[in-house]
Amino acid sequence: MTRGSRGALVLDEGAVTSVAAVRVDAVDTSGCGDAFLGALVERIAAGEPLVGAVRRAVLVGAYAATRRGAQSSYPTASDLDAWDAESGREVASAG
């Protein structure tokens, strides 16, 4: 369950895990939910455990909020990794 600025909650095999939000200066939140969902599905399809997939999806949604537009704000994996390295944020496994 996404919780906006409070991150997300994950229920996996009976355990609830809270995934912290990534703090950013939002420019445009259009498409952030779609960015989150797309990243989540991609990571699950790649075989990543659910909590790790949600961590990556939270980061992708945060990245999208720092750019204008919907689809134009979605990062490539290398864009996300570079953004993360510059900021010191921890990126969940990219696969």
Side-chain angles (χ1 to χ4, degrees):
M1 171 174 63
T2 58
R3 304 181 318 154
S5 64
R6 294 182 297 149
L9 288 178
V10 181
L11 175 62
D12 188 25
E13 297 187 24
V16 177
T17 302
S18 178
V19 175
V22 175
R23 301 219 185 276
V24 297
D25 292 324
V27 173
D28 183 356
T29 59
S30 302
C32 290
D34 291 338
F36 174 94
L37 186 56
L40 178 63
V41 170
E42 186 274 330
R43 296 314 315 144
I44 290 171
E48 185 156 348
L50 185 57
V51 172
V54 170
R55 285 189 179 116
R56 182 72 171 192
V58 164
L59 192 64
V60 170
Y63 178 99
T66 67
R67 309 293 192 274
R68 292 216 178 273
Q71 288 180 337
S72 61
S73 70
Y74 303 164
T76 63
S78 60
D79 289 341
L80 191 65
D81 291 339
W83 181 67
D84 178 60
E86 291 170 6
S87 66
R89 283 180 275 277
E90 181 178 327
V91 177
S93 169

